[in-house]
Structures are given as structure tokens and as C-alpha cells.
Amino acid sequence: MSSVEEGKHGEIEKTKYLASKIANPGPLGLCAFALTTFVLSINSAGSSDLPFPNIVIGLALFYGGLVQLLAGMWHFMVGNTFGATAASSFGAFWLSYAANFIFRLTDFDVPGDPFAVDHAVGIYLLGWTIFTFLLTLAALKTNGATLLLFFFLNMAMIFLTLGKFFLLSEDAKGPNALTRIGGVFGILTSLMAWYNAFAELITLESSYFKLPVYDLSRKNI
């Protein structure tokens, strides 16, 4: 073996060694997504206990945003392209949500269009709805738990988007019916995200049971 080949072989072995030392970032990213989604969805569902979404901004910045973005970067390190794309993107989603709120980017008026802000947010959500649907297509052969998570997330995104274009009223107090439905699906999404997280986190080495995820990969067909 030449010195060049030996060098390449050494780099490959080093990469494998480093990858083996990186823990699974999946549960961390899913938990960050779940908790942030849960809190905001309670507001979107119209809960009188959480009439304003302000409390979610801290979560959106640090847990759903920064921590989930970091989890996405760690997915890259272990070679999980899907996990890296999903976690990094939704981490950025929460950071952008916080930025919109902190920098008051949606505080504007358009003469003759009292719902201009709603429509702008609707287009923002529409883009994320399309992205979520495309991620779902990329996850069709993962497992049942992941697919159910994405089903709920797709429904949440669809209804939240529709809620920014329809059933709008200048006299409305709180979210409209479409947004409330989106909030309910958001809560279901967060519960499924937690389920998926702990399905990876709970092992027979650390607990007395495992959570089923119903593998849909080709090898089981």
C-alpha cells in the first residue's frame, strides 16, 4: 500500500472513529421541536390560559431554534441527511418566528387591505407547508411513527395557512376556527414528536420496555 493510500485509509478510519463517538442527535432535536410546538399550539388552539404567544419566544430562540439547529448539524456529522435537513430547517423556522416577533417585522399597514399582515404570514406559512409536504415524501419508507408525525404536522401547517387567508374579521378576538384546528393538529404533532424522540431514547439497556415505531423500510416488505 502506497503512502497516499495509507493516508486516505487513515482519514477514513479517523472519520469512522469520530462518527462512532457522536451520540444520536435525533431525540434532542425532536424534543426541542415538540416542546416549542406544544406551547405555541396551545395559543393557536384558542386557549384562554395562553391568549398571547409571547411566552413561546424564549423557547423559539433557544430550544426550538438554537438547540434544534445544533441537532441538525450533528445529524450531518453522523451522516443522516434527512435528519439534518429536517432539524436544521425547523430550527431555522423557530429562529425566524422569534425574529419576526422581536423585530416586529409584521407590524405594518397597507391602506385598503386590513388583512395584509395576515396574508404575509400566510404566504410565509405556505412556504413551510410545501417544505413539510416534501419532507413527508422523503419519509415514506421510514416508520409509521414518523409518518404519523408528519401527517399531523402537514395538517397543522395547512390549517394554520388557511387561517391567514379565510374567516378573517377585523372584530375577531383570538384565532379563527381554521387557526384553532391548526392548533389542535399542532398539539398532536408535538405529542408525536415526543413519542418519536423517546422511541429512540428508550432502549432495553436503559429501561424495561421499548416504544414501537412500525418500520416501513423495504427490507420488511
Side-chain angles (χ1 to χ4, degrees), residues 18 26 51 85 116 183 206:
L18 290 174
T85 303
S206 63

Side-chain angles (χ1 to χ4, degrees), residues 34-164:
L35 181 54
T36 313
T37 302
F38 180 77
V39 175
L40 181 61
S41 296
I42 289 177
N43 168 258
S44 298
S47 172
S48 59
D49 294 320
L50 192 63
F52 303 106
N54 306 53
I55 193 64
V56 81
I57 301 306
L59 283 171
L61 278 173
F62 296 103
Y63 199 33
L66 178 60
V67 168
Q68 191 174 184
L69 182 61
L70 289 172
M73 296 300 102
W74 290 320
H75 272 296
F76 277 117
M77 292 291 292
V78 298
N80 184 351
T81 305
F82 178 83
T85 303
S88 300
S89 296
F90 281 109
F93 166 80
W94 286 115
L95 288 172
S96 69
Y97 177 88
N100 289 341
F101 197 95
I102 293 170
F103 299 114
R104 307 174 72 86
L105 300 181
T106 56
D107 285 3
F108 59 85
D109 294 309
V110 176
D113 186 0
F115 305 117
V117 171
D118 291 289
H119 295 158
V121 174
I123 292 172
Y124 167 83
L125 291 173
L126 177 61
W128 284 103
T129 302
I130 295 170
F131 174 71
T132 301
F133 175 72
L134 294 175
L135 277 182
T136 306
L137 295 181
L140 292 177
K141 288 186 177 180
T142 53
N143 58 68
T146 297
L147 275 187
L148 189 56
L149 163 61
F150 274 101
F151 170 76
F152 288 143
L153 181 55
N154 273 282
M155 297 305 294
M157 287 293 190
I158 289 170
F159 279 102
L160 290 173
T161 300
L162 291 175
K164 294 300 180 181

Side-chain angles (χ1 to χ4, degrees), residues 198-211:
F198 284 93
E200 293 188 45
L201 195 60
I202 297 173
T203 66
L204 294 179
E205 288 74 26
S206 63
S207 186
Y208 293 104
F209 64 94
K210 292 179 63 177
L211 296 176

